Amino acid sequence: MADPRGFLKVRERVTQPRRPVPVRIMDWKEVYEAQEKGVLRSQAGRCMDCGVPFCHQGCPLGNLIPEWNDLIRRDKGEEAVERLHATNNFPEFTGRLCPAPCESSCVLGINQPAVTIKQVEVSIIEQAFDHDWVKPLPPARLTGKTVAVIGSGPAGLAAAQQLTRAGHTVAVYERDDRIGGLLRYGIPDFKMEKHYLDRRIKQMTGEGTRFRPGVEVGTDVSWEQLRRRYDAVVIATGSTVPRDLDIPGRELTGVHFAMDYLVQANRVVAGDAVADQIDAVGKHVVILGGGDTGADCLGTAHRQQAASVTTLAIGQQPPLERAAHQPWPTFPTLFEVAAAHEEGGERTYLASTVEFVGTDGVLTAIKIAETEFVNGRRVPKAGTEREIPADLVFLSLGYTGPEPAGITEQIKAEFDRRGNVVRDGYYMTGTEGVFVAGDAGRGQSLIVWAIAEGRSCAAAVDQFLCGQTLLPAPVAPTDVAVSVL
């Protein structure tokens, strides 16, 4: 039980220290530093004995937050990581990359700054790895059933680990040359260095999960071949089709999708040689879109020593405090200053992009206008057009769904009106034995949702293969009325 007076004794919320901006933009190492143990324990002690922990509602994984907060307060790290792993396969990922909807639901957050749940989480798992408490957990017996997981992002890895531990023989297929999906090539090292990913893959390998990098399903091996070879197939390819912006000048050299830029930068940091790399050094950079991917582009451009970086968002600047229509314990849309924003650059809201301007096929500027709302639509306001210099523009406008090539033709799976793979209440597509989890079925979402869906999909697959399952199923598929299992 938590200290019932902890939130009264320690009122100040103290977050992890960040390395100084002039230092951190000179390398690709993580921005955050470890928190001193005494401070961490006192921060964990702010967790209230609140009776109804709404943080459980805020977290799709159902993390047992009050339990491991109290265990850290009492310096019981090994017990804390056991409770943490009970609901979350990869707390080292979520503790670094999740926007922490649990903190928005924290009861203390009603009238005080919320408990620093996210940093307690990442501190628990780092202490566990430092003390060698995280070990492979191979199954006691094998079922004789085989499963192919397509995609090695958080949903695919979570499904694979759960199914391996249930005794199935699992192979993870990844078209890139390294395992990890967007964790590997979409997330810059200054947010999560890749050795954290490598050590978890090592654990999974020790448990028996088999990895097949450099294999593109649908091309190198057909979906039909996988269906014949395996007893079940899980589609966890993510939502990877970027949303485009069809305006004049889109064809100019210098206009790129954000993920194309980030993947190349990550490959270079990993030591790969990249031909014709998109490099921001000495250039004026404009980022369209104010989300996490845009912030990743911002931090990357700073480390490549761009001449200037401007982020444009078509909508209004979010409020600093909860709006009336987003009351506690909902996850509000707020104006936040991420680590990348601390490092410089200009942020402009209510900016509509009108045209990409160039000379001889090369981008030189971007024409923008103020945004106005007409009949509920956001449109450029006439007479407010202006140009700003731009050598590079990165489109960070979200994603429209998974890539349909191969899925549609080879396994006859259907796609809904949002571009996602259709599934039933047990994560199964219209083809028996073929399941879908994560962004491929849900649409672009948070890493905690990807892991939660991977875990639930694994339970559904286990039920399908064995007629019963002991695996936990934290969430049901989106837009499906039938609950999982």
Side-chain angles (χ1 to χ4, degrees):
M1 179 180 292
D3 180 359
R5 299 182 60 83
F7 70 100
L8 296 174
K9 298 174 184 176
V10 182
R11 290 180 172 271
E12 183 182 6
R13 173 185 166 99
V14 180
T15 57
Q16 288 172 281
R18 299 175 180 176
R19 295 195 295 142
V21 170
V23 175
R24 71 192 195 217
I25 63 172
M26 299 301 292
D27 59 43
W28 297 90
K29 296 185 183 298
E30 285 192 8
V31 167
Y32 291 95
E33 298 177 326
Q35 193 168 53
E36 194 271 325
K37 187 175 181 179
V39 176
L40 179 70
R41 291 179 62 185
S42 66
Q43 287 296 301
R46 296 180 69 236
C47 184
M48 304 167 64
D49 182 17
C50 56
V52 180
F54 277 82
C55 53
H56 288 187
Q57 174 269 336
C59 178
L61 287 163
N63 281 339
L64 306 173
I65 296 164
E67 295 184 31
W68 41 257
N69 269 333
D70 185 54
L71 288 167
I72 284 299
R73 178 183 70 86
R74 293 188 284 133
D75 199 20
K76 295 187 176 183
E78 191 166 7
E79 293 181 37
V81 77
E82 288 181 1
R83 302 309 292 148
L84 183 54
H85 271 148
T87 57
N88 187 352
N89 297 68
F90 314 121
E92 67 273 28
F93 304 159
T94 56
R96 288 177 167 85
L97 306 176
C98 179
C102 54
E103 295 187 9
S104 298
S105 300
C106 175
V107 173
L108 185 59
I110 295 175
N111 61 359
Q112 285 190 39
V115 176
T116 56
I117 298 170
K118 181 176 172 179
Q119 74 180 39
V120 174
E121 176 182 23
V122 75
S123 298
I124 291 171
I125 188 61
E126 289 310 312
Q127 180 186 19
F129 273 107
D130 289 343
H131 288 80
D132 199 28
W133 295 334
V134 182
K135 300 181 183 297
L137 300 173
R141 62 177 182 84
L142 295 177
T143 64
K145 302 293 186 179
T146 58
V147 183
V149 176
I150 318 306
S152 65
L157 291 178
Q161 186 167 60
Q162 292 294 95
L163 288 166
T164 297
R165 290 176 174 179
H168 306 302
T169 300
V170 181
V172 178
Y173 288 82
E174 170 59 56
R175 66 182 176 182
D176 284 328
D177 58 336
R178 298 182 180 95
I179 296 297
L182 289 183
L183 293 171
R184 174 73 64 182
Y185 288 127
I187 302 297
D189 279 46
F190 58 80
K191 287 180 68 174
M192 188 184 79
E193 295 178 34
K194 300 307 177 283
H195 61 85
Y196 298 115
L197 177 59
D198 293 334
R199 71 185 182 188
R200 186 60 79 170
I201 293 171
K202 181 179 178 181
Q203 182 209 27
M204 293 179 65
T205 302
E207 294 173 343
T209 302
R210 304 174 183 185
F211 293 101
R212 304 284 185 264
V215 179
E216 184 164 3
V217 176
T219 303
D220 300 324
V221 59
S222 71
W223 290 93
E224 184 60 36
Q225 287 175 314
L226 290 182
R227 287 185 59 209
R228 291 197 302 266
R229 186 181 304 173
Y230 294 91
D231 296 306
V233 175
V234 177
I235 302 171
T237 54
S239 178
T240 56
V241 179
R243 182 172 287 108
D244 208 341
L245 185 61
D246 186 17
I247 61 173
R250 173 62 182 88
E251 76 287 350
L252 292 172
T253 299
V255 182
H256 305 276
F257 288 119
M259 198 52 64
D260 293 340
Y261 172 58
L262 293 175
V263 168
Q264 287 191 2
N266 277 314
R267 286 189 176 278
V268 171
V269 173
D272 296 346
V274 176
D276 301 320
Q277 181 193 0
I278 305 168
D279 197 336
V281 59
K283 296 180 179 179
H284 297 289
V285 176
V286 176
I287 301 165
L288 302 185
D292 287 341
T293 303
D296 293 345
C297 291
L298 176 64
T300 300
H302 284 142
R303 283 158 180 77
Q304 291 180 345
Q305 300 180 5
S308 68
V309 189
T310 303
T311 301
L312 304 178
I314 193 172
Q316 296 178 334
Q317 178 176 318
L320 297 176
E321 298 181 353
R322 285 182 182 272
H325 67 282
Q326 294 178 329
W328 177 91
T330 60
F331 186 47
T333 301
L334 299 175
F335 178 77
E336 296 182 352
V337 179
H341 298 129
E342 291 180 339
E343 297 166 0
E346 180 180 341
R347 302 170 78 179
T348 302
Y349 290 88
L350 289 176
S352 293
T353 305
V354 177
E355 181 182 356
F356 299 119
V357 180
T359 303
D360 297 328
V362 178
L363 179 74
T364 58
I366 182 172
K367 182 183 289 185
I368 65 172
E370 294 179 12
T371 301
E372 66 176 349
F373 294 83
V374 178
N375 297 325
R377 296 178 62 247
R378 296 178 295 194
V379 297
K381 183 177 181 180
T384 63
E385 295 86 356
R386 63 187 177 95
E387 290 186 7
I388 58 177
D391 303 304
L392 287 174
V393 168
F394 299 129
L395 305 181
S396 177
L397 306 173
Y399 300 87
T400 61
E403 298 172 29
I407 297 178
T408 305
E409 302 87 359
Q410 297 179 22
I411 60 174
K412 310 299 187 220
E414 298 181 2
F415 287 75
D416 62 22
R417 57 184 175 80
R418 297 180 301 154
N420 304 320
V421 181
V422 175
R423 64 239 180 122
D424 65 13
Y426 301 93
Y427 290 88
M428 192 185 294
T429 68
T431 301
E432 186 176 12
V434 179
F435 300 77
V436 60
D439 289 2
R442 179 183 179 82
Q444 182 185 357
S445 191
L446 305 179
I447 183 172
V448 280
W449 277 108
I451 296 173
E453 287 216 355
R455 289 170 62 87
S456 293
C457 182
V461 173
D462 191 36
Q463 175 85 21
F464 169 76
L465 294 176
C466 299
Q468 61 182 354
T469 184
L470 297 177
L471 294 176
V475 294
T478 308
D479 297 339
V480 177
V482 181
S483 63
V484 178
L485 305 181

